[in-house]
């Protein structure tokens, strides 16, 4: 018989159920049109330009971010709590429901070790009912192991490290027959063919679902996860959650990543990872180091090897880091599915010929890259075959507009965000963004087979930019032009030549550019529009032949 929510709440620690949570004045009066904030002893000035209000405390559950999370998971704001990764949600659940020295949780090893760690830190016991030989739960033994002091049963599906989904019928049986909280960790569910159990959440008051933006949505560094459950359980967890748990930069990153255009691109990238998973399943079996490759419903593989230590040492010597599972599963290794180039590297280390591995061209010429230095933190995406998605945010409005012109006239999609040291000046942000753009296009081009290679262009009112361009593999710029102003829209005109040179060198393209005119705005725009138009011709794929008598670019 399915538990009632009243019975579920009785599982909570009595002192947590009776706890009156700390509330900031801002949370009490949220949504009342307040414009002057003198409640939290903050510094009223932002620390640097475009800092994104980091001088102010964020809400406990920031409204804009929560709206996007609710939309993503198809729940109401009363059914969800945002935490610093799913790890914090695990910790909150254990601290809210398990009394130290008395209560226990149930896990099924091998599984994610944080469940047991969180319980032991709280002083709760851990009952382990190991998975069966097929890596499925032994539901009968779990129910037999359950005691009056069992508060939580953790289920990971797809499971880490075995990478398989748990049987739906087994999960439902636990929800219906157990007298404990069933915490279903769906961290990797988007990589599988199954839908989330969120769709049946209303049927089971004792069910809590964990999700994260770390995997599918590529925000591991932002640390944002959620717990989804009955509103009364969420209200209980909010009592334990710190009052300002979500940093403002995380809010900004989540809101940007969950914009529709970004979601479309990320979902496409998941498709590419799944294609790589299918390819690796076959190729890994050719390695003499690997005994068995287990089927995967996640973005990682579990493999059995001849000798785990020799395997990891071999990978480390080649600069490849994998995760040994030898302590819990003798001679087993877990490793993530990387991009095409990373997977080639792994297969090469394992002595497998990966010359036929595809560069993702079956789903378009796509690249995701990040570049972090002491001065800048940049993330970018490019799709050379599907135009229409262009989002640029460097903190320099006119420069954003110019990069938009390159992508728009180049007829490709581009997402690029940069957080740089604009409190110093514009140089690092503009230079590093140009470098990443060149790297993105270079990565997306793959072996360059079939491209037009050359490009020329372009007038802009009274201004004229003459551009010759060759994707030759050799970075070179010859630039001629004098701008009548030192600044256009906050962007130094002296940086135009430097930006295009940085782009040329990182992409490996020869550019000859000459610009004349009377209006600096028009001259700068002619340079970037012309660059885009030249790239359109050069990047256009016309077949599969290599556009070089040498046979390589």
């Amino acid at each position: 018989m399915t538990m009632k929510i009243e019975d579920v709440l009785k599982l909570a620690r009595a002192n947590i159920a009776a706890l009156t949570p700390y509330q900031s004045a801002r949370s009490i009066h949220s949504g009342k049109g307040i414009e002057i904030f003198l409640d939290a002893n903050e510094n009223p000035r932002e620390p640097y330009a475009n800092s994104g209000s980091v001088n102010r405390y964020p809400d406990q559950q920031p409204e804009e971010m929560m709206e996007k999370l609710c939309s993503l998971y198809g729940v109401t704001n009363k059914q969800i709590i945002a935490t610093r990764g799913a790890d914090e949600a695990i910790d909150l659940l254990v601290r809210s429901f398990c009394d130290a020295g008395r209560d226990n949780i149930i896990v099924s090893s091998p599984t994610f070790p944080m469940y047991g760690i969180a319980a032991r830190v709280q002083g709760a016991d851990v009952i382990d009912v190991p998975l069966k030989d097929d890596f499925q739960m032994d539901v009968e033994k779990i129910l037999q192991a359950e005691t009056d002091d069992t508060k939580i049963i953790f289920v990971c599906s797809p499971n880490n490290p075995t990478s398989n989904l748990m049987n739906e019928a087994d999960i439902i049986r636990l929800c219906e027959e157990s007298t404990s909280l069933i915490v279903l960790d769906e961290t990797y569910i988007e990589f599988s063919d199954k839908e989330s159990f969120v769709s049946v959440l209303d049927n089971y008051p004792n069910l809590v679902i964990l999700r994260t933006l770390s995997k599918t949505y590529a925000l591991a560094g932002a640390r944002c996860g959620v717990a989804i459950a009955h509103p009364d359980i969420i209200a209980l967890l909010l009592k334990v959650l710190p009052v300002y748990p979500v940093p403002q930069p995380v809010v900004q990153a989540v809101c940007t990543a969950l914009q529709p255009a970004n979601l479309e691109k990320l979902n496409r990238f998941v498709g590419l990872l799944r294609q790589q998973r299918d390819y690796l399943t076959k190729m890994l079996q050719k390695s003499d180091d690997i005994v068995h490759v287990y089927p995967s419903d996640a973005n990682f593989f579990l493999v059995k090897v001849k000798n785990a230590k020799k395997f990891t040492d071999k990978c480390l010597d080649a600069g490849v880091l994998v995760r040994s599972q030898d302590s819990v599963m003798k001679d087993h290794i877990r490793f993530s599915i990387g991009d095409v180039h990373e997977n080639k590297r792994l297969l090469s280390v394992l002595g497998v010929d990966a010359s036929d591995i595809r560069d993702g061209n079956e789903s378009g010429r796509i690249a995701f890259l990040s570049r972090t230095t002491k001065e800048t933190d940049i993330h970018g995406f490019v799709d050379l075959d599907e135009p229409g998605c262009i989002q640029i945010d460097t903190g320099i409005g006119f420069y954003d507009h110019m990069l938009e012109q390159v992508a728009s006239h180049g007829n490709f999609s581009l997402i690029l965000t940069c957080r740089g040291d604009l409190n110093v000046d514009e140089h690092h942000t503009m230079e590093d963004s140009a470098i990443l753009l060149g790297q993105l296009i270079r990565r997306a081009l793959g072996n360059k087979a079939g491209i037009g290679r050359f490009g020329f262009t372009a007038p802009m009112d009274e201004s004229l930019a003459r551009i010759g361009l060759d994707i030759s593999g050799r970075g070179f710029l010859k630039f001629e032009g004098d701008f009548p102003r030192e600044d256009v829209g906050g962007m130094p005109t002296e940086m135009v030549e430097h930006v295009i040179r940085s782009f040329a060198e990182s992409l490996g393209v020869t550019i000859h550019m000459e610009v004349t005119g009377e209006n600096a705005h028009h001259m700068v725009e002619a340079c970037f529009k012309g660059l885009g138009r030249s790239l359109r011709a050069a990047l256009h794929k016309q077949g599969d032949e290599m556009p070089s008598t040498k046979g390589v670019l």
Side-chain angles (χ1 to χ4, degrees):
M1 180 181 295
T2 304
M3 295 178 71
K4 296 179 180 179
I5 187 60
E6 293 83 2
D7 297 323
V8 176
L9 294 177
K10 290 177 182 177
L11 296 172
R13 292 168 56 194
N15 61 326
I16 300 298
L19 181 67
T20 299
Y22 175 86
Q23 287 185 297
S24 66
R26 202 163 302 174
S27 63
I28 294 171
H29 301 288
S30 176
K32 295 184 179 179
I34 296 171
E35 297 178 354
I36 305 298
F37 296 95
L38 304 177
D39 60 306
N41 307 330
E42 303 153 323
N43 191 319
R45 296 188 180 276
E46 294 189 7
Y48 52 86
N50 301 301
S51 64
S53 299
V54 295
N55 60 309
R56 298 290 184 185
Y57 289 113
D59 292 335
Q60 188 184 38
Q61 300 283 272
E63 184 176 355
E64 181 185 4
M65 185 183 81
M66 296 310 296
E67 286 179 358
K68 291 187 178 298
L69 290 171
C70 287
S71 176
L72 179 67
Y73 296 123
V75 296
T76 70
N77 61 359
K78 294 184 180 298
Q79 294 175 298
I80 188 170
I81 181 173
T83 57
R84 287 164 289 197
D87 295 344
E88 185 177 41
I90 293 167
D91 182 61
L92 285 177
L93 286 161
V94 172
R95 286 196 289 133
S96 299
F97 283 85
C98 293
D99 274 308
R102 188 187 73 184
D103 294 333
N104 65 69
I105 68 167
I106 294 178
V107 300
S108 294
S109 65
T111 193
F112 187 43
M114 282 306 299
Y115 311 140
I117 291 172
R120 292 184 179 98
V121 168
Q122 176 62 14
D125 287 337
V126 179
I127 298 174
D128 184 10
V129 180
L131 297 175
K132 296 186 290 187
D133 291 342
D134 60 357
F135 295 151
Q136 291 296 323
M137 294 183 294
D138 193 329
V139 178
E140 200 67 45
K141 288 185 178 180
I142 290 174
L143 293 173
Q144 291 172 3
E146 189 176 26
T147 71
D148 291 340
D149 296 324
T150 300
K151 295 299 181 69
I152 304 174
I153 299 174
F154 282 99
V155 179
C156 190
S157 180
N159 186 47
N160 177 8
T162 60
S163 76
N164 63 293
L165 286 158
M166 295 297 150
N167 289 331
E168 290 184 13
D170 289 344
I171 299 172
I172 290 173
R173 184 181 174 191
L174 283 179
C175 291
E176 292 180 344
E177 297 185 24
S178 171
T179 56
S180 305
L181 202 65
I182 308 301
V183 177
L184 177 60
D185 187 343
E186 293 186 332
T187 290
Y188 302 97
I189 193 68
E190 291 94 345
F191 297 100
S192 75
D193 293 321
K194 296 295 184 180
E195 292 186 2
S196 168
F197 263 72
V198 168
S199 60
V200 299
L201 186 68
D202 291 341
N203 298 336
Y204 305 108
N206 61 332
L207 176 62
V208 178
I209 297 171
L210 303 181
R211 301 290 291 271
T212 182
L213 301 184
S214 294
K215 313 300 180 181
T216 305
Y217 303 101
L219 289 176
R223 307 304 297 129
C224 183
V226 301
I228 304 170
H230 189 283
D232 289 348
I233 295 177
I234 298 300
L236 189 78
L237 298 179
L238 285 170
K239 293 183 176 184
V240 184
L241 187 70
V243 68
Y244 303 121
V246 186
Q248 189 63 35
V250 173
V251 176
Q252 296 165 359
V254 171
C255 290
T256 299
L258 298 187
Q259 292 175 1
N262 290 348
L263 287 174
E264 178 186 343
K265 300 304 177 183
L266 287 168
N267 288 333
R268 185 180 303 161
F269 189 55
V270 169
L272 285 175
L273 283 176
R274 292 177 65 168
Q275 290 174 1
Q276 288 296 302
R277 184 176 67 193
D278 294 342
Y279 177 85
L280 286 172
T281 299
K282 295 180 290 186
M283 299 302 290
L284 288 168
Q285 295 170 358
K286 298 180 180 182
S287 172
D288 292 335
D289 297 304
I290 293 177
V291 176
H292 182 67
V293 180
Y294 294 94
S296 174
D297 292 302
N299 67 331
F300 59 87
F301 277 102
L302 180 71
V303 297
K304 185 175 182 180
V305 298
K306 292 180 178 177
N307 185 296
K309 187 177 188 309
K310 289 183 179 179
F311 187 97
T312 54
D313 288 347
K314 182 177 184 178
C315 290
L316 281 172
D317 289 343
V320 178
L321 182 62
V322 296
R323 183 67 178 266
S324 174
Q325 302 294 317
D326 203 34
S327 62
V328 291
M329 302 180 73
K330 183 173 174 54
D331 289 330
H332 282 71
I333 301 291
R334 189 200 73 195
F335 58 84
S336 307
I337 300 165
D339 63 20
V340 171
H341 304 274
E342 293 167 335
N343 295 336
K344 280 184 177 180
R345 179 80 170 272
L346 174 67
L347 291 173
S348 175
V349 171
L350 300 182
V352 177
D353 179 12
S355 58
D356 66 335
I357 191 170
R358 295 173 291 179
D359 275 334
N361 291 332
E362 66 277 7
S363 296
R365 294 175 295 172
I366 296 171
F368 291 80
L369 283 176
S370 296
R371 188 175 192 273
T372 301
T373 69
K374 292 181 179 179
E375 294 89 11
T376 57
D377 182 24
I378 315 176
H379 305 274
F381 163 85
V382 72
D383 185 338
L384 300 182
D385 296 318
E386 291 204 18
C389 176
I390 301 174
Q391 297 176 17
I392 316 293
D393 180 12
T394 66
I396 307 171
F398 189 73
Y399 186 48
D400 292 351
H401 182 51
M402 292 301 97
L403 294 182
E404 288 168 1
Q405 298 304 312
V406 173
S408 178
H409 288 273
N411 205 38
F412 57 85
S413 290
L414 174 64
I415 299 173
L416 190 148
T417 60
C418 177
R419 293 291 171 262
D421 56 350
L422 295 179
N423 57 310
V424 177
D425 72 4
E426 306 87 351
H427 185 98
H428 295 138
T429 291
M430 296 182 67
E431 177 184 59
D432 290 358
S433 295
I435 291 172
L436 187 74
L437 176 57
Q439 292 173 337
L440 280 166
I441 295 177
R442 187 169 191 160
R443 172 70 66 89
L445 279 173
N447 64 11
K448 305 188 182 86
I451 64 169
R453 179 176 172 178
F454 301 102
F456 311 87
T457 294
M460 179 68 189
D461 294 338
E462 89 296 336
S463 301
L464 178 66
R466 298 182 180 90
I467 299 169
L469 182 149
D470 176 15
I471 301 181
S472 59
R474 299 179 297 278
F476 175 81
L477 171 67
K478 182 177 181 181
F479 184 91
E480 295 182 19
D482 293 312
F483 298 98
R485 286 166 50 193
E486 295 182 354
D487 179 279
V488 177
M491 172 180 150
T493 53
E494 68 176 7
M495 286 298 295
V496 173
E497 178 179 355
H498 186 72
V499 160
I500 295 174
R501 176 170 285 106
S502 298
F503 170 76
E505 291 174 351
S506 65
L507 172 55
V509 58
T510 296
I511 301 175
H512 288 255
M513 180 178 291
E514 177 186 355
V515 61
T516 59
E518 300 174 1
N519 183 295
H521 182 119
H522 292 162
M523 292 173 67
V524 173
E525 196 160 0
C527 290
F528 283 92
K529 283 185 175 179
L531 177 61
R533 280 287 161 176
S534 296
L535 285 170
R536 177 188 287 237
L539 297 174
H540 180 63
K541 194 168 172 62
Q542 305 171 22
D544 296 313
E545 294 184 4
M546 183 62 63
S548 169
T549 55
K550 296 179 180 179
V552 65
L553 285 174

